[in-house]
Amino acid sequence: MKRMKSLAAALTVAGAMLAAPAATAAEKAPADVAGDTALSEVRDMEVTPEIEEQKWYQKYADDKRVLKLEATSPAMDGRVVPLAIIPADNPDRPTIYLLNGAGSAEQDTDWLNQSEAVDFYADKDVNVVIPQAGAFSYYTDWNTSPNKSYLKGPQKWETFLTKELPGPLEKRLKSNNKRAIAGMSMSATSSLLLAQHNQGFYDAVGSYAGCAGTSTPFEYEAMRLTVNRGGGEPEQMWGPMGSRTNRYNDALLNSDKLRGIALYISSGNGLPGKTDMPSYYTQQGVDPTAASVGAATLQIEGGIIEAGVNHCTHNLEAKLKSQNIPATYNFRDTGTHSWPGWREDLEKSWPVFEKALS
């Protein structure tokens, strides 16, 4: 009898969960998320010598399709963050926050330099905001700043991106209250986390070749490899593995908080494809020796990383399916951890975003 009652109770709870309406995305305005947080000052970009040296700026300095702004971050002691923006053609349009990967613009590994993002979004009539800083930060709030290399000063990127920036920036862009967030590699994890931590703020999320889990040994040590490149340790970022802050920033553990958001999730499998072969680059005029060395790096290092990402992403798929949370998946049957896949994701995620933002 007790077993029957327990089973009945469990079925009742499960039924209630399935019957419960999904959380309405973007029901919150920037002011709701910001609360009493001091806000950014958004202004025209002051082009510093450092920015002049970056390839994205050299490529788009005179291109009127790219609006160059900057925003202060009170939480990061007034740090000035450069913003590259592909503005919508009309007012009252949605905003997509597109985050760079590990090296960001500081290492010329950003969306503007490495993809055709400007050409692709130019006719989509949405505002696309790309912060051109934040290398190796995971775009998160760190417990303790390493204060060296790329991670100097307070690292409070989540506060900046979700509380300080949206209100002033979206007012300047005359945006509506629909928004999405997307990222690749390092920031694929960040995109999931920022949406989970701010439910009701984003209509859609794109996670391109990232790892949702962060609090188990393999994933935590993989994260260490990324932040080490910037001069930091994951313990400085989220505390020891499995700590409360680490678990809060584990998107796999908190996957239920993605309910009601349109999701696009992708991964290659680590096996080399045609874009990982020397011939792909020699056909573009790359020196054969350089093409061979580069292809070998992609196939070995990029292959190992993407195989791990593939494992992480299938874990997320299994978890979301067990929770009846729908998502659009793009599991490529080849592909290393490299830009050709992320350029594909830029295009293939658009129908998901377009529907969610309409």
Side-chain angles (χ1 to χ4, degrees):
M1 182 64 71
K2 279 188 176 180
R3 277 185 73 183
M4 292 297 292
K5 286 184 177 179
S6 297
L7 178 59
L11 290 172
T12 299
V13 171
M17 288 176 65
L18 292 174
T24 303
E27 61 192 8
K28 292 183 179 177
D32 299 322
V33 175
D36 59 1
T37 302
L39 301 180
S40 298
E41 178 188 347
V42 177
R43 60 204 181 209
D44 292 344
M45 182 185 293
E46 179 182 346
V47 182
T48 64
E50 180 184 12
I51 291 174
E52 283 184 319
E53 292 176 359
Q54 294 176 353
K55 291 182 179 179
W56 77 269
Y57 184 78
Q58 295 170 4
K59 188 175 178 181
Y60 291 105
D62 300 319
D63 194 325
K64 296 188 183 303
R65 297 177 300 169
V66 179
L67 179 63
K68 294 90 177 173
L69 301 179
E70 64 184 29
T72 61
S73 172
M76 292 193 279
D77 290 348
R79 176 175 181 164
V80 176
V81 179
L83 306 171
I85 296 170
I86 308 164
D89 293 327
N90 297 289
D92 197 32
R93 298 295 300 154
T95 303
I96 298 174
Y97 292 86
L98 188 60
L99 305 181
N100 293 317
S104 195
E106 292 99 323
Q107 290 195 341
D108 296 321
T109 55
D110 57 282
W111 284 104
L112 267 68
N113 183 49
Q114 296 285 352
S115 79
E116 295 71 41
V118 175
D119 293 337
F120 179 75
Y121 281 118
D123 64 350
K124 300 297 186 289
D125 201 18
V126 293
N127 298 293
V128 181
V129 178
I130 310 174
Q132 294 294 74
F136 308 109
S137 69
Y138 264 88
Y139 292 106
T140 189
D141 286 359
W142 286 56
N143 287 345
T144 304
S145 171
N147 206 31
K148 63 180 181 179
S149 188
Y150 290 94
L151 298 166
K152 292 179 180 177
Q155 302 296 311
K156 298 295 182 183
W157 289 95
E158 179 173 339
T159 296
F160 172 69
L161 290 168
T162 63
K163 300 181 186 303
E164 298 175 342
L165 179 65
L169 178 61
E170 292 179 18
K171 181 178 181 180
R172 172 158 179 162
L173 297 176
K174 300 179 181 178
S175 306
N176 61 22
N177 197 46
K178 288 185 173 291
R179 65 188 63 80
I181 188 166
M184 37 70 68
S185 189
M186 173 187 83
S187 65
T189 304
S190 314
S191 298
L192 294 169
L193 290 173
L194 267 57
Q196 289 175 339
H197 296 170
N198 299 277
Q199 290 178 279
F201 197 49
Y202 299 100
D203 294 275
V205 173
S207 180
Y208 311 151
C211 191
T214 64
S215 64
T216 45
F218 172 81
E219 289 79 2
Y220 193 84
E221 291 307 313
M223 191 167 61
R224 186 185 304 280
L225 296 176
T226 298
V227 298
N228 276 176
R229 291 167 58 199
E233 300 291 345
E235 289 85 357
Q236 295 170 308
M237 186 166 72
W238 292 334
M241 182 181 68
S243 64
R244 182 176 180 179
T245 303
N246 184 194
R247 291 171 64 83
Y248 172 70
N249 286 289
D250 186 312
L252 183 64
L253 282 180
N254 298 288
S255 57
D256 59 303
K257 295 179 180 178
L258 296 171
R259 191 179 302 277
I261 304 172
L263 302 171
Y264 172 94
I265 299 166
S266 73
S267 169
N269 68 359
L271 296 175
K274 67 177 182 179
T275 60
D276 303 301
M277 300 299 177
S279 59
Y280 177 79
Y281 297 97
T282 56
Q283 289 171 7
Q284 298 176 50
V286 177
D287 175 79
T289 301
S292 296
V293 172
T297 301
L298 285 176
Q299 292 174 24
I300 298 171
E301 294 182 15
I304 292 171
I305 294 171
E306 195 70 3
V309 164
N310 185 261
H311 170 76
C312 287
T313 307
H314 275 94
N315 284 346
L316 179 60
E317 177 196 31
K319 182 81 178 291
L320 291 174
K321 285 184 174 180
S322 75
Q323 295 171 314
N324 291 293
I325 298 175
T328 297
Y329 298 96
N330 180 16
F331 287 112
R332 291 179 275 275
D333 56 9
T334 60
T336 62
H337 201 64
S338 53
W339 277 97
W342 307 327
R343 295 184 194 113
E344 176 185 293
D345 290 327
L346 199 71
E347 298 184 13
K348 289 194 172 181
S349 61
W350 171 244
V352 176
F353 289 0
E354 184 180 30
K355 182 178 179 181
L357 297 172
S358 63

